[in-house]
């Protein structure tokens, strides 16, 4: 073989090797790349149940889910101002419906749960939870309850239900000078956990096992005393197909069992 032919063969081999290396570099990342996580905005009362549902969904599909918790009213404002989420799980119907009316969602959404409100007292409290809250009324008068915590009713549907219930019990005037408001129900629970408030109204889902922030006594507020807490979710306009799969997963029989475990109807 002449030297010129030999050089030509070497060049061809080198070219093919470079081509194959470049091809493998282009292909490997696509196999190794992970799916980008779904972005979910969720009412603070969903912290426990949605963590469990997200973990189960990832186990089944390998799709990770990033959930941001907060007040439904705050999320509504953020989304209107351009915040990017795949799904919004509100603690009521109103904020979800507003987004649908602004044509920011795919469809009108789905009521995924019916929440319940409870009256909770801190573990060290000496308040007795009788049927008509008579001792609660006395405690507000004799100083056993110095602070009473609810979520901000303008931003948190559970806070609105709390103000309606207090009014129906005839406790609004007594509670008013002692009222502390959390930006959402998570902060409301923090007030009770740190003894910054001795009693308050919070979601049932946040006092049930497996991991309630505090183990104080509580009683469920009769639903007839406040507007029913119908929690609605909407799929955002820019949601991906994987987000649609998660949206549908939250409505399956398998998911409903977990919703019920956390006190949702």
């Amino acid at each position: 073989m002449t030297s010129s032919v030999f050089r030509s063969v070497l060049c061809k081999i080198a070219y093919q090797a470079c081509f194959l290396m470049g091809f493998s570099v282009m292909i490997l990342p696509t196999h190794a790349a992970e799916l980008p996580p779904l972005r979910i905005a969720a009412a603070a009362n969903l912290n426990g149940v949605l963590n469990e549902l997200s973990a189960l969904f990832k186990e089944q599909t390998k799709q990770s889910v990033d959930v941001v918790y907060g007040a439904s009213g705050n999320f509504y404002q953020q989304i209107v101002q351009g915040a990017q989420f795949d799904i919004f799980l509100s603690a009521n119907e109103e904020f979800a419906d507003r987004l649908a009316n602004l044509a920011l969602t795919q469809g009108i959404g789905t009521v995924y749960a019916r929440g319940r409100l409870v009256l909770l007292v801190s573990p060290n409290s000496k308040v007795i939870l009788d049927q008509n809250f008579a001792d609660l009324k006395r405690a507000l008068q004799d100083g056993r309850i110095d602070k009473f915590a609810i979520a901000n009713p303008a931003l948190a549907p559970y806070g609105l239900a709390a103000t309606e219930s207090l009014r129906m019990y005839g406790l609004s005037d007594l509670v008013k000078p002692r009222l502390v408001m959390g930006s959402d129900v998570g902060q409301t629970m923090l007030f009770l956990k740190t003894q910054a408030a001795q009693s308050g109204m919070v979601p049932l889902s946040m006092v049930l096992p497996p991991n309630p922030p505090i183990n104080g006594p509580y009683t469920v507020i009769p639903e007839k005393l406040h507007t029913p807490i119908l929690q609605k979710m909407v799929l955002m306009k820019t949601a991906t197909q994987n987000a649609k799969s998660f949206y549908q997963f939250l409505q399956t029989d398998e998911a409903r069992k977990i919703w019920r475990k956390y006190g949702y109807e």
Side-chain angles (χ1 to χ4, degrees):
M1 184 183 294
T2 66
S3 59
S4 60
V5 173
F6 182 71
R7 283 197 298 271
S8 176
V9 171
L10 285 179
C11 287
K12 287 181 180 179
I13 293 172
Y15 175 80
Q16 290 172 351
C18 289
F19 175 80
L20 290 172
M21 288 176 64
F23 186 69
S24 65
V25 167
M26 287 187 288
I27 287 181
L28 286 175
T30 35
H31 285 296
E34 294 184 1
L35 294 169
L38 303 179
R39 287 274 295 163
I40 312 296
N45 64 286
L46 300 176
N47 196 303
V49 61
L50 207 52
N51 285 346
E52 184 168 339
L53 287 166
S54 298
L56 179 59
F57 183 74
K58 183 176 181 179
E59 180 182 319
Q60 294 178 355
T61 65
K62 309 305 179 187
Q63 170 67 65
S64 59
V65 180
D66 282 351
V67 185
V68 183
Y69 297 101
S72 297
N74 281 337
F75 281 130
Y76 164 76
Q77 293 169 1
Q78 290 171 23
I79 292 169
V80 168
Q81 293 168 5
Q84 294 296 307
F85 292 102
D86 293 299
I87 302 172
F88 171 44
L89 290 97
S90 177
N92 67 357
E93 292 180 285
E94 181 184 351
F95 292 122
D97 288 343
R98 286 191 199 177
L99 293 176
N101 291 336
L102 292 171
L104 295 175
T105 66
Q106 299 181 32
I108 61 172
T110 302
V111 173
Y112 61 90
R114 190 184 191 105
R116 297 300 301 272
L117 182 72
V118 303
L119 172 68
L120 174 68
V121 296
S122 61
N124 299 326
S125 173
K126 297 179 180 179
V127 178
I128 299 170
L129 294 179
D130 50 54
Q131 187 174 4
N132 297 314
F133 292 175
D135 193 54
L136 175 68
K137 185 174 183 179
R138 289 191 292 268
L140 288 163
Q141 294 170 319
D142 64 25
R144 281 178 290 156
I145 293 180
D146 180 53
K147 297 295 180 184
F148 190 93
I150 67 170
N152 185 338
L155 300 173
Y158 281 89
L160 179 60
T163 59
E164 294 173 346
S165 301
L166 289 169
R167 184 166 59 249
M168 293 295 291
Y169 276 120
L171 295 171
S172 296
D173 291 340
L174 280 174
V175 167
K176 188 175 181 179
R178 297 166 178 79
L179 196 62
V180 289
M181 289 188 186
S183 59
D184 55 41
V185 292
Q187 189 177 48
T188 305
M189 285 296 292
L190 185 61
F191 289 151
L192 291 160
K193 183 178 181 179
T194 59
Q195 304 288 314
Q198 296 78 44
S199 184
M201 288 184 174
V202 296
L204 172 63
S205 62
M206 301 187 81
V207 300
L208 293 176
N211 297 307
I214 62 174
N215 290 304
Y218 67 88
T219 185
V220 179
I221 304 295
E223 196 176 38
K224 64 183 180 181
L225 297 180
H226 60 78
T227 303
I229 305 171
L230 300 178
Q231 303 196 195
K232 195 172 192 177
M233 62 180 174
V234 282
L235 194 64
M236 304 312 301
K237 202 77 171 179
T238 56
T240 64
Q241 184 58 49
N242 286 346
K244 293 178 183 179
S245 297
F246 184 60
Y247 183 85
Q248 292 164 353
F249 166 77
L250 295 176
Q251 303 172 61
T252 61
D253 290 339
E254 184 179 24
R256 286 193 185 102
K257 292 178 183 178
I258 298 173
W259 286 114
R260 284 193 286 270
K261 183 173 79 171
Y262 284 85
Y264 294 101
E265 300 174 3

